[in-house]
Amino acid sequence: MRRVFSTAGTHPRTRFKLWQEVVAERIGPIEQRRRADGPFAGEIEIGAVGPLTFSRITQSALTTTITADTVRRRPDGLIRVNFRLAGASTFQQHGREAVQGTGDLTVIDHHPGVLDARTDGQTLVMALPRERLEGLLGPARLFAALTMPAGSATTRLVTTFFGDLLRVNRQLSPEAAERMATIGVDLIVAALADRMAREVPHSLHGSVVVQRAKAHVEANLGDQTLDPPRLAAAMGVSLRRL
């Protein structure tokens, strides 16, 4: 990871203004407000593994809002996975509230609807292409602001994999890094699918499977080998249930 900005060494009175300018340049014109008195502190580091980009953000307590104007001015088509390294966050999006503690993962849709993102501490943010996730899981509203708890087996697999991947990234060839990135995205999709299955009430779970199946079919219309058994396997349900 490479540091691109730090408030260390800057005057306390100008730190937060500088922070807002850097965030606007790198992320977009989001709205941020401080939630604590005293000098503000923040640091941004960036890195990449194959096509995946990462930002490690350390900051004092803030409230962040994404508005419709934000998305219109900078539509990047990305969905972000937040690895909470320290501190806590609360996100509200698509009518759902996610409370994220250290070790938890949360997916955030860069779309109007993050009404109040209250964060402090340190977060590793990974940007993923929207088409990849929605092609396998359905519309982002089905999984945005879902928290995958640190204690779950799937979350531990994802965090361990990406922690190791970032540590050895420089030792990998470009081809190997791209393959490992693809494996990591597949792990996130699997963890999200497991979390979605536990989130949705049983009476509605069938409709969610249908939405995911439709999205998978639409994303793979050119695959001549796609048949009902393969579709059922991709959805993680039996052929009879599908």
Side-chain angles (χ1 to χ4, degrees), residues 148-214:
M148 293 172 275
S152 74
T154 53
T155 300
R156 290 198 300 270
L157 282 171
V158 172
T159 54
T160 299
F161 179 87
F162 279 103
D164 290 343
L165 184 58
L166 286 170
R167 279 190 289 272
V168 304
N169 180 40
R170 293 185 179 181
Q171 305 171 35
L172 300 175
S173 67
E175 295 78 12
E178 186 164 354
R179 288 194 294 270
M180 292 300 104
T182 299
I183 292 172
V185 173
D186 288 342
L187 281 175
I188 289 174
V189 169
L192 270 173
D194 178 69
R195 180 66 180 86
M196 290 168 67
R198 290 183 285 110
E199 169 74 10
V200 180
H202 184 71
S203 60
L204 298 179
H205 188 262
S207 62
V208 173
V209 173
V210 170
Q211 292 294 329
R212 290 176 52 214
K214 287 180 177 180

Side-chain angles (χ1 to χ4, degrees), residues 83-105:
F83 297 73
R84 172 55 52 181
L85 304 179
S89 297
T90 302
F91 301 95
Q92 293 179 355
Q93 186 169 52
H94 298 307
R96 183 185 293 122
E97 181 175 83
V99 178
Q100 186 184 28
T102 301
D104 295 344
L105 305 184

Side-chain angles (χ1 to χ4, degrees), residues 1-2 5 24 28 41 53 80 105 115 118 179 230:
M1 304 287 287
R2 177 174 61 88
F5 177 75
T53 59
R80 290 172 172 82
L105 305 184
L115 304 177
R118 301 184 299 276
R179 288 194 294 270
R230 287 194 60 190

